[in-house]
Amino acid sequence: MQNIDPRSIIHAGSIRTFSTEHTQDAAAAASPRQGASSHGTRFDPWMSAYAQRADNLRESEIRALFAVASRPEVVSLAGGMPNIKDLPLRELAEGARKLIEQDGAQALQYGGGQGWEPFRESCCMVMAEEHIKADPADVVITTGSQQALDLVTQIFINPGDVILAESPSYVGALSVFTAYQAKVHHVPLDEHGLVPDALDDHIRHVRAQGGNIKFLYTCSGYHNPAGVPISLERRPQIVEICKRHHILILEDNPYGLLGFKGDIYPALYTFNPEGVIYLGTFSKIFAPGLRVGYAVAPPAIKAKLVLAAEAAILSPSMLAQMAIHHYLRDYDWKAQIEVYRAMYQERRDAMIEALQEYLPDCSYTVPEGGFYTWVGLPEGIDAKAMLPRAVTELVAYTSGTAFFSDGQGGDHMRLSFCYPPPEDIREGIRRLARVVDRERELVSMFGSRVIHQPDFSSNAPQPNLP
Amino acid sequence: MQNIDPRSIIHAGSIRTFSTEHTQDAAAAASPRQGASSHGTRFDPWMSAYAQRADNLRESEIRALFAVASRPEVVSLAGGMPNIKDLPLRELAEGARKLIEQDGAQALQYGGGQGWEPFRESCCMVMAEEHIKADPADVVITTGSQQALDLVTQIFINPGDVILAESPSYVGALSVFTAYQAKVHHVPLDEHGLVPDALDDHIRHVRAQGGNIKFLYTCSGYHNPAGVPISLERRPQIVEICKRHHILILEDNPYGLLGFKGDIYPALYTFNPEGVIYLGTFSKIFAPGLRVGYAVAPPAIKAKLVLAAEAAILSPSMLAQMAIHHYLRDYDWKAQIEVYRAMYQERRDAMIEALQEYLPDCSYTVPEGGFYTWVGLPEGIDAKAMLPRAVTELVAYTSGTAFFSDGQGGDHMRLSFCYPPPEDIREGIRRLARVVDRERELVSMFGSRVIHQPDFSSNAPQPNLP
């Protein structure tokens, strides 16, 4: 054994020109199974080595549905993929060409962990649409909003801590919260969004039971999956309740600019910038393939988010940041949002009309923005149990159970109108109606197939307390 | 309070056209400080809410140095930014234009969480250069190798678990390990890389003391920061030792294809695919601004990595994956690596010649590949304490302390020859020599300024045991 001699010059790597044959043979001798490791099922030799948190990584229902949705014969009302076919691809292509030709040495290089300052200013310009006056110094660029959810959860959640979330709540957030071993406590929402009085009650209740509430997670705009925004009246009330109880708010707002009538609600952030982390994204107002979102946070939290972001990915993509920066600078991005609004409104209309025609005894929200409607099924029908039968009929949706951390939601499903064209939406609902009809016959013959049927008629805290 | 009535159609979002004035006033009334939140220093009201792991997020020394390095008058030998000025920007620009014009609807859309399959095949093609025969099904695309480090650590490390790492070890990996509250135990390396006998000794020693070793982290190629690869002889020995002790290997290999003489060592992975997670990246053989890396792992670990990746970012950038896929398909990417090798070799030569001329009583590795040389300072000089004085003289480096988890390394510094042109490297070393000379005078007058001076002459386990 010999350590580096600190007093001599060392020539490293003096062995050279190994032939491919030589090393392939060596590798083959050492491990005849190389290249075949993914075939067959076998015992996981690292089973005992995983961290506790690895047990909490679950296959999300959305993920399984990505595979289903990709089959062309299936009408998928399941995913949340935006329809970006109307983007001006030729102009974007020319913009990308110019960007790389003129600024490629910067666009293809590492950048700072917090994100490129001119782009952080652009994000502030977009946020101004929601009446947010943010300082670019308080903005952190993230790899989509999902990364922001991950980083915020990472810096706040010890195993067993409580996160308050709407009932129902975004499945991707629930995945993160579960991965960090948080306990999610659902708070009711109604047609005006999260219910302030219920929030107040639930906070007291959770604390009375010893729960350590770290933050309220809310999708404040056109809600995923419920389709409703928090009303103008309730926004300051909710902020005030959280302020009084010293509870941070994590405001996730991917759909806020996609109100079909151009309604833009002031962000919760505007009412108390020191008590709210605001998350925005370009995935829905521009395109998701660049994976760019942003977080605005009180300065001390922002500093921790930057450190966490650096540990996670070093720095966000300069190419993606500069591409969107140029898009916002060179194109009429607000006109593009108008195009999106009109297109999604037409699809919403197609879905609601089809629901009225084919599923008249289901309840559903009629969203004024966003991508989703939240559909209550006729009594006794379970969304999760029905899903495989729906896929057999070539239509997919997301079971309401995906939007709860505790198995609730089987009496609802989320229908997305964002991706399929109107005629496919109509056909999808027609197929879905056949499935529901058959399901209803089975229920009337053999009784309820509902596995979980929690009481939604009361605002009483649900039994998922810490 | 009223919940969603499951039997009625609800029209959401009926309030509309809030004037900007109105809501700005509302916001101002609710919070007169909006927009001013980042100014001034004040008590952090969320101090008590952070998770324990948030305490472990530290400002990396590399991060602080990014700011210094960006001042044009400073010769930075500190950062690890590749020099990408020689990339064929006009051709890449035209490639990006075509990609977006022809496949924009796919490139700008969400993709699968594991990464795009054709691109995973491309990664296998690149890995084949290191004699790896990987199955695309076992590959996970990540946002740079850094994200792979984060995900692997996340799924394996409970607070207090032990990670074995080289002595010294990559600062960005140490940041991640620390964030997850791992104990890092350093194992010696010498001019032939990680020392097998020492590894064996340290494993026994750590286990005898009750330490729970989760994996060995090694930068197997041209090492960051030491500059040396693990020798051909030692590779199967190290794999065998880990196999015998049932310890997983995390092999991080950003520089493996950047051997100046074209030497390519077979990856540790080739000797035992079931016991090694291999990390690759396009940051050094192409460009870092797209933030694309990849991990190859045994199938069960791969499945957990995909779930963790989805929770973290949903899916990697399709645009970045497709851009690199097309680059590998349409350009002579191996010729570009040759260009890089020649360019970095010229810079390595400039650095070594300048070290010989200006700093003859320092020790240093003469790397045959990669970006870095590891420099031992004359006795009594402390790299960390000297750094501010070096920056005053307009030269920057990274203190050796950045590459240890326990304060060791003050008698070394890492010098990067990757980014500045040869004449700047020469000038930088000339300035550095002035600083070292002055420091030496101070030491001879006032005694040693070294704060930490561990014993490097022995392979005995260092005192950072669990």
Side-chain angles (χ1 to χ4, degrees):
Chain A
M1 276 188 303
Q2 193 189 350
N3 276 353
I4 287 183
D5 178 354
R7 296 290 162 255
S8 69
I9 295 170
I10 295 157
H11 287 266
S14 54
I15 308 146
R16 61 179 119 133
T17 54
F18 316 118
S19 74
T20 303
E21 289 69 37
H22 168 81
T23 46
Q24 276 189 331
D25 289 349
S31 171
R33 305 199 64 99
Q34 198 205 343
S37 62
S38 69
H39 304 306
T41 52
R42 67 173 71 170
F43 176 70
D44 175 9
W46 304 107
M47 187 79 87
S48 63
Y50 296 116
Q52 281 167 20
R53 65 171 72 82
D55 295 336
N56 289 52
L57 292 168
R58 297 178 309 182
E59 294 242 349
S60 90
E61 301 192 33
I62 272 186
R63 176 168 179 253
L65 285 162
F66 262 134
V68 170
S70 67
R71 285 164 50 193
E73 68 274 22
V74 173
V75 173
S76 177
L77 307 173
M81 289 205 299
N83 167 33
I84 57 168
K85 284 175 192 142
D86 297 331
L87 279 173
L89 289 185
R90 184 167 295 197
E91 291 172 49
L92 294 174
E94 181 54 25
R97 192 192 62 72
K98 270 192 201 152
L99 168 61
I100 292 175
E101 189 168 325
Q102 292 168 12
D103 298 311
Q106 185 180 11
L108 299 174
Q109 189 54 274
Y110 287 114
Q114 187 177 353
W116 189 43
E117 195 181 352
F119 179 60
R120 286 189 269 121
E121 287 169 14
S122 292
C123 294
C124 291
M125 175 187 74
V126 173
M127 281 185 274
E129 293 290 306
E130 286 168 328
H131 319 301
I132 293 172
K133 296 176 197 156
D135 187 325
D138 294 339
V139 175
V140 184
I141 306 301
T142 56
T143 303
S145 277
Q146 189 72 23
Q147 194 198 12
L149 291 173
D150 186 70
L151 299 176
V152 170
T153 309
Q154 181 186 134
I155 68 172
F156 281 104
I157 297 301
N158 290 316
D161 285 346
V162 177
I163 297 170
L164 303 175
E166 282 136 344
S167 175
S169 190
Y170 167 53
V171 57
L174 297 180
S175 293
V176 175
F177 300 159
T178 307
Y180 284 94
Q181 299 165 268
K183 291 181 180 169
V184 177
H185 181 86
H186 291 286
V187 180
L189 60 66
D190 63 18
E191 70 271 32
H192 304 296
L194 186 68
V195 182
D197 289 350
L199 175 63
D200 199 59
D201 289 351
H202 281 249
I203 291 170
R204 292 171 198 281
H205 191 90
V206 170
R207 287 195 167 156
Q209 305 234 343
N212 187 16
I213 301 170
K214 285 297 179 74
F215 55 81
L216 164 69
Y217 169 73
T218 171
C219 183
S220 59
Y222 302 96
H223 188 274
N224 178 0
V228 299
I230 299 177
S231 72
L232 188 60
E233 289 79 1
R234 286 186 179 175
R235 288 175 179 249
Q237 295 169 15
I238 287 165
V239 172
E240 187 52 39
I241 289 166
C242 286
K243 197 173 180 180
R244 181 156 26 92
H245 290 288
H246 194 60
I247 290 173
L248 187 66
I249 296 174
L250 177 56
E251 180 178 22
D252 188 11
N253 194 19
Y255 309 98
L257 296 182
L258 291 178
F260 302 141
K261 293 174 180 159
D263 301 354
I264 299 174
Y265 292 76
L268 298 181
Y269 179 88
T270 63
F271 299 102
N272 184 21
E274 296 188 9
V276 179
I277 302 172
Y278 176 91
L279 308 187
T281 177
F282 291 96
S283 292
K284 276 79 183 189
I285 63 168
F286 176 46
L290 294 95
R291 310 303 302 119
V292 176
Y294 50 90
V296 188
I301 296 175
K302 181 264 302 180
K304 289 199 190 297
L305 286 177
V306 172
L307 292 176
E310 285 173 344
I313 60 159
L314 283 186
S315 64
S317 166
M318 276 300 285
L319 182 65
Q321 292 180 82
M322 292 180 81
I324 298 180
H325 183 70
H326 287 200
Y327 171 77
L328 295 169
R329 188 192 66 190
D330 299 338
Y331 296 88
D332 190 346
W333 61 277
K334 292 187 193 178
Q336 180 62 44
I337 291 178
E338 293 292 341
V339 169
Y340 280 145
R341 283 175 182 153
M343 181 263 299
Y344 290 128
Q345 182 170 18
E346 187 193 0
R347 289 167 186 219
R348 189 273 320 258
D349 290 345
M351 178 166 280
I352 297 301
E353 282 164 25
L355 284 169
Q356 285 172 333
E357 182 173 346
Y358 296 118
L359 285 167
D361 60 349
C362 285
S363 66
Y364 38 91
T365 52
V366 181
E368 293 294 324
F371 283 9
Y372 311 104
T373 182
W374 182 238
V375 177
L377 286 163
E379 201 170 335
I381 296 181
D382 180 65
K384 198 169 180 178
M386 184 173 72
L387 186 54
R389 292 187 280 273
V391 172
T392 308
E393 292 289 330
L394 305 181
V395 61
Y397 58 84
T398 309
S399 165
T401 47
F403 306 98
F404 293 87
S405 61
D406 55 4
Q408 290 185 63
D411 52 356
H412 279 75
M413 59 186 171
R414 186 191 75 177
L415 297 183
S416 311
F417 50 82
C418 45
Y419 197 70
E423 59 276 18
D424 288 7
I425 290 175
R426 196 176 164 79
E427 172 61 20
I429 300 289
R430 212 176 55 82
R431 294 176 187 172
L432 194 54
R434 274 206 308 266
V435 180
V436 171
D437 283 346
R438 207 166 313 144
E439 205 74 2
R440 193 167 19 210
E441 283 169 30
L442 287 170
V443 169
S444 67
M445 276 194 289
F446 301 107
S448 173
R449 294 176 159 261
V450 173
I451 300 159
H452 307 280
Q453 194 173 26
D455 178 13
F456 274 118
S457 64
S458 148
N459 283 324
Q462 302 297 331
N464 62 329
L465 290 171
Chain B
M1 276 189 305
Q2 193 188 354
N3 276 351
I4 289 184
D5 177 352
R7 296 288 163 257
S8 68
I9 295 169
I10 294 155
H11 286 267
S14 54
I15 306 144
R16 62 178 120 136
T17 56
F18 315 120
S19 75
T20 303
E21 289 69 36
H22 167 82
T23 48
Q24 276 188 332
D25 288 350
S31 169
R33 304 199 66 99
Q34 197 206 344
S37 62
S38 70
H39 305 304
T41 52
R42 67 172 70 170
F43 176 71
D44 174 9
W46 304 106
M47 188 79 88
S48 62
Y50 295 116
Q52 281 166 21
R53 67 171 71 83
D55 294 338
N56 288 52
L57 292 168
R58 297 177 310 182
E59 294 241 348
S60 92
E61 300 191 35
I62 272 187
R63 177 169 179 249
L65 286 163
F66 263 134
V68 170
S70 67
R71 286 165 47 194
E73 68 274 22
V74 173
V75 173
S76 176
L77 308 173
M81 288 204 300
N83 168 34
I84 56 168
K85 282 173 192 143
D86 297 330
L87 280 173
L89 289 185
R90 184 167 297 195
E91 290 172 51
L92 293 175
E94 181 55 23
R97 191 192 64 71
K98 268 192 204 152
L99 168 60
I100 293 175
E101 191 169 322
Q102 291 167 13
D103 298 312
Q106 184 180 12
L108 299 174
Q109 188 55 273
Y110 287 113
Q114 187 177 353
W116 188 43
E117 195 181 352
F119 179 60
R120 285 189 271 122
E121 287 170 12
S122 292
C123 294
C124 292
M125 175 186 74
V126 174
M127 281 185 274
E129 293 291 304
E130 286 168 328
H131 319 301
I132 293 171
K133 296 176 198 155
D135 186 325
D138 294 339
V139 175
V140 184
I141 305 302
T142 57
T143 303
S145 276
Q146 189 71 24
Q147 194 199 11
L149 292 173
D150 187 71
L151 298 177
V152 170
T153 310
Q154 183 187 131
I155 68 171
F156 280 105
I157 297 299
N158 290 316
D161 283 347
V162 177
I163 297 170
L164 304 176
E166 281 134 345
S167 173
S169 190
Y170 168 53
V171 57
L174 297 179
S175 293
V176 174
F177 301 158
T178 308
Y180 285 94
Q181 299 165 268
K183 291 181 180 169
V184 177
H185 181 84
H186 291 285
V187 180
L189 59 69
D190 63 17
E191 70 272 32
H192 303 295
L194 185 68
V195 182
D197 289 350
L199 175 63
D200 199 58
D201 289 351
H202 281 249
I203 290 169
R204 292 171 197 281
H205 191 91
V206 169
R207 286 196 168 154
Q209 305 235 344
N212 187 16
I213 301 171
K214 286 298 180 73
F215 55 81
L216 164 68
Y217 170 73
T218 171
C219 183
S220 59
Y222 302 95
H223 188 273
N224 178 1
V228 299
I230 299 176
S231 72
L232 189 59
E233 289 79 1
R234 286 189 180 174
R235 288 176 179 247
Q237 295 169 15
I238 287 166
V239 171
E240 188 52 39
I241 289 167
C242 286
K243 199 172 177 179
R244 182 158 23 96
H245 290 287
H246 194 60
I247 289 173
L248 189 66
I249 297 176
L250 177 57
E251 179 178 24
D252 188 11
N253 193 19
Y255 309 99
L257 295 183
L258 292 178
F260 303 142
K261 293 173 181 159
D263 300 353
I264 298 173
Y265 292 75
L268 300 182
Y269 179 89
T270 63
F271 299 101
N272 184 21
E274 296 189 9
V276 179
I277 302 172
Y278 176 90
L279 308 187
T281 176
F282 291 96
S283 292
K284 276 78 183 188
I285 62 167
F286 175 47
L290 294 97
R291 312 301 303 115
V292 176
Y294 51 90
V296 189
I301 296 176
K302 180 266 302 180
K304 289 200 190 297
L305 286 177
V306 172
L307 292 176
E310 285 173 343
I313 60 159
L314 283 185
S315 65
S317 166
M318 277 299 286
L319 182 65
Q321 292 179 83
M322 291 181 83
I324 297 179
H325 183 70
H326 287 199
Y327 171 77
L328 295 169
R329 188 191 64 189
D330 299 339
Y331 297 88
D332 190 347
W333 61 276
K334 292 187 193 178
Q336 179 61 44
I337 292 178
E338 293 293 340
V339 169
Y340 280 147
R341 283 175 181 153
M343 181 263 299
Y344 291 128
Q345 181 169 18
E346 188 192 1
R347 290 169 186 217
R348 189 274 319 258
D349 290 345
M351 178 166 279
I352 297 301
E353 282 164 26
L355 283 169
Q356 285 172 334
E357 181 171 348
Y358 296 118
L359 284 168
D361 60 348
C362 285
S363 65
Y364 38 90
T365 52
V366 180
E368 293 295 323
F371 284 9
Y372 312 105
T373 181
W374 181 238
V375 177
L377 286 162
E379 201 170 335
I381 296 181
D382 180 65
K384 197 170 180 178
M386 186 173 72
L387 186 53
R389 292 187 279 275
V391 172
T392 310
E393 293 290 331
L394 306 181
V395 60
Y397 58 84
T398 308
S399 165
T401 48
F403 306 98
F404 292 88
S405 61
D406 54 5
Q408 291 184 63
D411 53 355
H412 278 74
M413 58 186 170
R414 185 191 74 177
L415 298 183
S416 312
F417 50 82
C418 46
Y419 196 70
E423 59 276 17
D424 287 7
I425 289 175
R426 197 175 163 80
E427 172 61 20
I429 300 288
R430 211 176 54 82
R431 292 176 188 172
L432 194 54
R434 276 208 306 267
V435 180
V436 170
D437 283 347
R438 209 166 311 145
E439 205 74 2
R440 192 166 21 212
E441 284 168 29
L442 286 170
V443 170
S444 67
M445 275 195 288
F446 301 108
S448 172
R449 294 178 159 260
V450 173
I451 300 160
H452 307 279
Q453 196 173 26
D455 179 14
F456 275 119
S457 64
S458 148
N459 282 324
Q462 302 297 330
N464 63 330
L465 291 172

